[in-house]
Amino acid sequence: MSLYIRDPKVNELADEVMRHLGSKTKTEAVRYALESVLKQANEKPSLKERVRKYQDEIAALGPKDPNFDEKAFMDEMWEY
């Protein structure tokens, strides 16, 4: 199966990747680029993992003060 790229910019990018990698064909260059993007996407932590990291950091700060008056704190900061 041959690779036909209709978009001139995509064709230009495929040529550039091909030259950069020293590959013999655009198909080989495009396959390498797509595999690289998929590998990178699979290695990225999931949203759940990223959120958990921040939740753990916040929990490490200690318990929340139930007597803290956030409105008074903000008013004091803004000099109300």
Side-chain angles (χ1 to χ4, degrees):
M1 177 191 285
S2 62
L3 175 67
Y4 181 70
I5 301 172
R6 296 181 192 186
D7 186 301
K9 180 63 179 172
V10 174
N11 190 50
E12 185 180 314
L13 289 169
D15 283 336
E16 188 175 338
V17 171
M18 189 174 82
R19 283 191 301 277
H20 180 74
L21 296 175
S23 59
K24 297 174 185 173
T25 65
K26 283 185 194 176
T27 301
E28 186 179 316
V30 170
R31 183 183 67 245
Y32 177 83
L34 293 172
E35 286 172 347
S36 294
V37 168
L38 285 174
K39 180 181 175 190
Q40 198 174 41
N42 289 332
E43 290 174 353
K44 182 180 177 182
S46 69
L47 176 60
K48 184 177 181 178
E49 292 168 331
R50 294 188 314 243
V51 168
R52 172 60 59 196
K53 174 187 166 195
Y54 294 116
Q55 288 174 331
D56 292 344
E57 289 176 10
I58 291 167
L61 294 174
K64 182 178 175 182
D65 181 2
N67 298 319
F68 179 71
D69 184 352
E70 188 170 349
K71 180 171 181 351
F73 177 75
M74 295 297 283
D75 288 348
E76 185 179 323
M77 276 190 4
W78 291 99
E79 299 178 358
Y80 280 112

